[in-house]
Amino acid sequence: MRELQRHRVYDLLKKDSSHLLGKEVNIKGWVRTRRGSKHVAFIAVNDGSIIHSIQVVVDIQAFKDEEVLRNITTGACISVNGTLVESKGKGQAVEIKATKIFLYGAADPEKYPLQKKGHTLEFLREIAHLRPRTNTFGAIFRIRHALSFAIHKFFNDNGFFYLHTPIITGSDAEGAGAMFRVTTLDMKNPPFTKEGEVDFSKDFFGKETNLTVSGQLEGELGALALSNIYTFGPTFRAENSHTSRHLSEFWMIEPEMAFYDIHDNMDLAESFLKYLIRYLLDHCTDDLEFLQKMYDKGLTERLHMIVDNEFKRLTYTQAIEILEGSGQAFEFPVSWGVDLQSEHERYLVEKEFGCPVILTDYPRQIKAFYMKLNDDGNTVRAMDVLFPKIGEIVGGSQREENYEKLHGRIREMGIHEEEVWWYLETRKFGTAPHSGFGLGFERLMLFVTGMGNIRDVIPFPRAPQNADF
Ligand code: 4AD
Ligand code: MG
């Protein structure tokens, strides 16, 4: 038999398939449900190309292959040849009247974990190898793809170059938190120095190395040559955080721009976030509708809130005054100098302003060494973008471009100069004002999907005590 060309379910349900009506088509995919009677079976087949399944109708009397028919249960993988016809049922325009079905792989109904519907997200996390086959995770991973694509498109269309920064790093200059050690030393029998410390000069790279917490410092090197660059890669933080907004391995987008001050930086962050959300509203309608229906009734309204509003910009100091005057009983009390918690950030966004907020000019003590010092000597030119439900989604700053000031900050914060000499050199040779920020990809995914836990927006979450898949 001549192999029919396979159609994706997307092509049949979403594109104009009228020219195929009455013709023989082939689809391949996984059985979502099977219902029907002695005479007729209705099989919903999903191939992941779209949230919807296509209905396959089997006339049982006319269908010869009983063995195959018996094995068509939820989770089985099949290839279907049949005639594309207009559907009499509700909910779909076309369906397939099967003429031949080939079984690639059965899924024993007694054992297949997704046999029944309605599993909790917690349970699905324990079967991360199978959860992509649910409608929920299909929708999430398609949105994840679309969002990644939109990020590259935005930067490409705006003259930014994608710079690949290293994952293994010899410096912990960011100071963003504990790092994961990378070593090939024998853990049971490491070499020691005369002083009795582990001798990393004998390690693979001849020094201590870790997984990166951020591509920023290397990104700056790129910006001070190519003007506008961005990174988009995995970053790693070994903090023991068990919150619904932290991962040990997460993806970060970090644009870095020469000749941008903090205002240019804020403008870019705002237009970037709006572009991405608009892109999803335009391109992921079916998946967003599904997530809205199942998980978060306010989802699209919240997405429109971002696109339709100007982000409110104010300083950290102004924000502290508002929080202190709010009469709100926060779990973590606020006063000038404290790092803001998500309860504070969310208060500002959700209660005070009702729109996204950008806070600037944070106390120098709570921010990284590379941020540009303001003339007041107390604050730095930092900016955090705060979103409803999430709190901080973007963190960035104008960078200190003055060699002496940067050098002073490095000393003051006890950073080893020999780790960052290359970074300092950019301020010695042809320094320039520049700025950048980091967008947590999964934080944005949380926001756009309406999911409550960050472990549900990445295929294989890495978190403390959790690297099973
Ligand atoms: O605020 P952070 O630590 O900033 C940086 O790393 C800078 N180097 C960025 C830059 O200026 N180029 O992290 C940036 C963003 C946060 O705003 C948050 O969205 C996300 O990364 N993020 C995390 N997301 C998931 N899990 C974690 N553990 C995260 N830590 C930070
Ligand atoms: Mg931050």
Side-chain angles (χ1 to χ4, degrees), residues 330-350:
F330 293 114
E331 192 188 335
F332 296 90
V334 278
S335 60
W336 200 94
V338 301
D339 212 354
L340 295 182
Q341 304 293 323
S342 71
E343 56 169 342
H344 310 131
E345 298 172 337
R346 292 185 58 180
Y347 177 86
L348 293 168
V349 175
E350 292 165 24

Side-chain angles (χ1 to χ4, degrees), residues 172-239:
D172 173 23
E174 172 78 20
M179 302 180 91
F180 290 102
R181 167 69 40 82
V182 175
T183 180
T184 55
L185 291 180
D186 181 354
M187 302 289 277
K188 292 199 199 88
N189 186 24
F192 286 100
T193 61
K194 279 203 282 304
E195 290 77 31
E197 294 189 11
V198 174
D199 186 0
F200 288 102
S201 72
K202 305 252 164 46
D203 204 347
F204 189 89
F205 295 104
K207 62 184 297 194
E208 288 187 58
T209 49
N210 293 287
L211 295 179
T212 189
V213 295
S214 156
Q216 177 195 324
L217 299 194
E218 294 89 349
E220 285 187 49
L221 312 182
L224 292 171
L226 300 166
S227 290
N228 290 356
I229 64 93
Y230 70 105
T231 72
F232 185 178
T235 51
F236 308 87
R237 297 191 185 178
E239 307 150 43

Side-chain angles (χ1 to χ4, degrees), residues 268-331:
L268 181 74
E270 181 168 344
S271 62
F272 177 48
L273 288 163
K274 285 179 168 165
Y275 173 91
L276 296 178
I277 289 170
R278 161 87 16 236
Y279 185 92
L280 294 184
L281 284 167
D282 291 345
H283 292 86
C284 299
T285 323
D286 291 1
D287 288 326
L288 289 175
E289 254 173 34
F290 172 82
L291 293 170
Q292 162 140 328
K293 194 172 90 200
M294 300 298 289
Y295 294 100
D296 183 355
K297 300 284 179 283
L299 180 59
T300 43
E301 196 185 320
R302 219 176 302 112
L303 297 182
H304 280 289
M305 183 239 236
I306 305 295
V307 179
D308 298 340
N309 279 298
E310 267 185 35
F311 294 10
K312 175 77 189 171
R313 301 177 186 191
L314 66 158
T315 64
Y316 168 92
T317 304
Q318 290 168 320
I320 292 291
E321 280 163 14
I322 291 171
L323 292 167
E324 281 179 332
S326 70
Q328 201 80 9
F330 293 114
E331 192 188 335

Side-chain angles (χ1 to χ4, degrees), residues 174 176 213-214 216 237 239 245-248 250 252 254-256 370 392-397 399 436-440 443 454:
E174 172 78 20
V213 295
S214 156
Q216 177 195 324
R237 297 191 185 178
E239 307 150 43
R245 297 175 308 113
H246 287 87
L247 287 165
S248 313
F250 65 98
M252 191 161 32
E254 296 183 274
E256 192 70 34
Y370 50 69
E392 179 191 342
I393 196 159
V394 161
S397 71
R399 317 307 188 190
F437 61 81
L439 166 65
R443 294 263 173 101
I454 200 163

